[in-house]
Amino acid sequence: MTILVTRPSPAGEELVSRLRALGQVAYSFPLIEFSPGRQLSQLPAQLAALAPGDLVFVLSQHVIDYAAPLLRRSGIPWPDKLSWFAIGRTTALAFHTVSHIPVRYPQDRETSEVLLQLPELQNVAGKRALILRGNGGRELLGETLEARGAEVSFCECYQRSAIIYDGIEEANRWHARGISTLVVTSGEMLQQLYMLTPDWYRENWLLRCRLLVVSERLADLAREMGWQNIRVAANADNDALLRALQHT
């Protein structure tokens, strides 16, 4: 099994390093990169406008990567009278590490659907909810909170952008290296990988690879695109991906 990890830096390189330490052949091929979000500078004012008990949602570790330095430079502490939620364990840990504030998160999968099942989010009418995220995504969360009576706003703390590659050159490289397993952690990256790969390589290599994804929704998308050998990891963090790859 030769593995291609498409998740962004530095998480992708870390997973490859851990796989190689276990004797696996693995390569990093990040498909997206990050930069500060267009609304990041508005974050201090948005947090200050919330009342005690209002809700804040941290939807990625990358939110912390960009928000924490901004608040630190501004001399503004993370507000501890708000109710904080994270999309999953890894993001919750990153937030708690910088803020020392309790944060609630789903114990099962890192999805909006599971997050919305938390008991604290069933009766949110009249509360304000601030969703900290990248450029787009997680629309279900905002729509559901609004349907439950919350006043929802967003802050784009970071941006994702595609890294430009030569599709023919890269497909030839990975096919020649015998890549047989792909690790993809978002629908955006799955579609990017599919479109990057020329037709011949797509039919004769890409869609024949074993595919490891991080949600049933992503698995369904992969099936629609033509993959058949698909495994779903328990979570999106590197520990869960490593466990799934060891049992593939």
Side-chain angles (χ1 to χ4, degrees), residues 84-103:
W84 291 88
F85 297 86
I87 193 65
R89 181 181 66 86
T90 304
T91 301
L93 179 60
F95 173 75
H96 183 71
T97 298
V98 299
S99 70
H100 308 294
I101 295 173
V103 55

Side-chain angles (χ1 to χ4, degrees), residues 26 34 53 60 85 99 104 138 144 151 162 166 173 178 199 204 206 232:
F34 301 101
S60 167
F85 297 86
S99 70
R104 301 164 184 84
R138 307 289 182 186
T144 304
E151 179 186 329
D166 183 313
R173 183 203 316 273
D199 289 347
N204 292 282
L206 188 73
V232 181

